[in-house]
Amino acid sequence: MQYFDVCNGDADGLFALHQLRLATPRNAVLITGPKRDNALLARVTASPGDHVTALDLSFDANRAAVLALLARGVTIDYIDHHVARELPRHPLLHTDIDTASDVCTSVLVDRRLRGRYRAWAVAATFGDNLPGAAHRLAQLAGIDPDDEATLRELGENVNYAGYGDSIGDLLIEPAALYTLLEPYAQPLDFAGACPLLATLGQARREDLTLACAQRPAATSAGIEVFTLPGERWARRVRGAFANQLALAAPQRAHAVLTPTAEGYWTVSVRAPLATAFGADSFCRRFGGAGRAGAAGIGRLPYVAFDAFVAAFHQAYEMSA
C-alpha cells in the first residue's frame, strides 16, 4: 500500500497534516501547492488499495478526481471546512467536513486527536484569520499570552507564505516549508529554531505596508474594495491584506484584487467578521469558491469589475 498526503499549502493545511503525522507517522507522498491551488487530487497517482488523506481542499473543486480515485479502488480520508455539495456515498470515502464559520481543518484534526497537538491548531486557526476561535483553543490548552502571541505570528507568517498566483510568487514552496517544520513536535520550538520565519514575518509586514498605502477603489458603509498592482508583493500579500482589513473593520465585507497578464483579476473576499456569511456563495456567482467567511475568485475578467463591485455592494449592504 502507498500513502498520499494532499493538503493546501497554507498554515491550516500544513499544520493539519503535521498534527496527523505526529500522531500517526507515515511514509507518504506529499502533494501540496500555493493556497489558490485547490484541485490537487488530480495529481495523485494512486493504485488500487492505496490510501489518500486530503486536507483543507474544497471537495467541489476535487470532486471529479475523488470519484476517479474511488473507482480505482483508492481509500480517501477527506477532512475540510469548505462548502461541499452532495457528498457521494462510497465505502472507500470517509469525510469529516464542517463548514461552521469558527472552524478550520486544523480544528477538525484537533478534535480527532482530542487536543494532543493543540498548539499547532492554535497557530493554524490564527493563520486562517479566526482569532476568536484560536484564542479559545489557546485557553483550553493553557497557553500563556506571550506564547499565544508567538503562535499567532507563526500562523500568520506561514499563511502568508502560501499566497501567490504561482510558485514563482512565493518566498518558499509549501512542500519545502513542510520539510522544515516536520521534525518539530512543538510549534514554539519550530518558531524559535527556524530563521526563515523571521524573514517571512519581515516580508509580510513590508508587503502589508505597501498594500496599506493604496487607496480603495470602492468603499461604502458595508464594503471596501482594493485593487493592488500586478507585482509579486501584491499577489503574496493579497490574502493577508484582506485578513487585516477584515479585522480592522469587522462590520464590513472586503475584497482585494490583483491583475494577471491574461486580462483577469484574482480576488480574495472576506465576509464581515461580525457575521461571516455568504463569501462562498457570492464568489460562486463569478466562478470562484471558498467558505462562508472567506472565499476567492481565480479568473474575474477585467471587464466584469464594475459588475463585481455592484454585486458585492448589493450582497453586503445589509451588514452595514
Side-chain angles (χ1 to χ4, degrees):
M1 177 189 294
Q2 190 172 18
Y3 293 99
F4 294 83
D5 286 337
V6 191
C7 69
N8 198 306
D10 68 354
D12 189 27
L14 296 177
F15 292 171
L17 174 60
H18 190 46
Q19 289 178 79
L20 283 177
R21 292 298 155 253
L22 285 170
T24 309
R26 281 179 180 166
N27 182 18
V29 176
L30 175 63
I31 299 174
T32 187
K35 185 175 176 68
R36 285 285 182 194
D37 199 353
N38 278 306
L40 293 177
L41 271 80
R43 303 181 192 174
V44 175
T45 57
S47 301
D50 289 345
H51 188 282
V52 173
T53 300
L55 297 156
D56 196 30
L57 298 167
S58 164
F59 189 93
D60 289 346
N62 289 277
R63 182 181 300 274
V66 167
L67 295 176
L69 288 167
L70 294 173
R72 206 184 304 163
V74 176
T75 300
I76 302 175
D77 185 13
Y78 213 110
I79 309 173
D80 185 43
H81 65 134
H82 298 87
V83 172
R85 293 166 290 178
E86 299 181 15
L87 286 172
R89 293 188 177 183
H90 194 285
L92 297 180
L93 176 63
H94 311 283
T95 60
D96 184 359
I97 295 178
D98 186 340
T99 61
S101 61
D102 61 347
V103 166
C104 63
T105 305
S106 283
V107 169
L108 299 179
V109 173
D110 176 74
R111 291 176 185 172
R112 180 179 291 200
L113 299 179
R114 300 177 183 272
R116 186 172 172 187
Y117 301 103
R118 180 158 288 162
W120 289 104
V122 171
T125 309
F126 273 125
D128 233 29
N129 204 38
L130 299 171
H135 179 62
R136 290 192 294 273
L137 279 178
Q139 288 184 312
L140 284 173
I143 296 171
D144 68 43
D146 288 343
D147 287 344
E148 183 178 339
T150 300
L151 293 174
R152 180 170 191 157
E153 176 80 0
L154 171 62
E156 290 178 350
N157 288 343
V158 170
N159 205 62
Y160 156 83
Y163 266 96
D165 291 349
S166 69
I167 289 291
D169 289 338
L170 309 185
L171 297 179
I172 182 173
E173 294 189 25
L177 184 52
Y178 185 77
T179 299
L180 292 177
L181 70 88
E182 196 172 11
Y184 294 93
Q186 297 298 328
L188 292 172
D189 293 338
F190 175 54
C194 182
L196 172 69
L197 295 171
T199 301
L200 291 173
Q202 180 178 348
R204 178 171 63 89
R205 285 184 283 273
E206 290 174 353
D207 289 351
L208 281 170
T209 298
L210 292 171
C212 288
Q214 309 297 309
R215 296 177 63 86
T219 185
S220 71
I223 68 161
E224 200 165 36
V225 177
F226 282 81
T227 58
L228 302 183
E231 299 180 21
R232 289 180 65 194
W233 71 263
R235 294 189 291 270
R236 285 197 304 265
V237 83
R238 183 179 57 235
F241 185 44
N243 288 344
Q244 179 170 295
L245 292 169
L247 289 170
Q251 302 297 329
R252 273 180 171 172
H254 296 88
V256 180
L257 297 81
T258 57
T260 70
E262 294 78 23
Y264 296 93
W265 297 102
T266 304
V267 189
S268 287
V269 169
R270 299 293 180 270
L273 274 182
T275 50
F277 73 94
D280 54 331
S281 57
F282 174 79
C283 287
R284 278 199 298 271
R285 292 163 60 182
F286 295 90
R291 49 192 173 86
I297 303 165
R299 291 167 64 88
L300 178 73
Y302 286 167
V303 295
F305 177 78
D306 289 343
F308 168 85
V309 173
F312 196 50
H313 177 77
Q314 184 178 24
Y316 286 104
E317 62 182 351
M318 74 283 290
S319 66

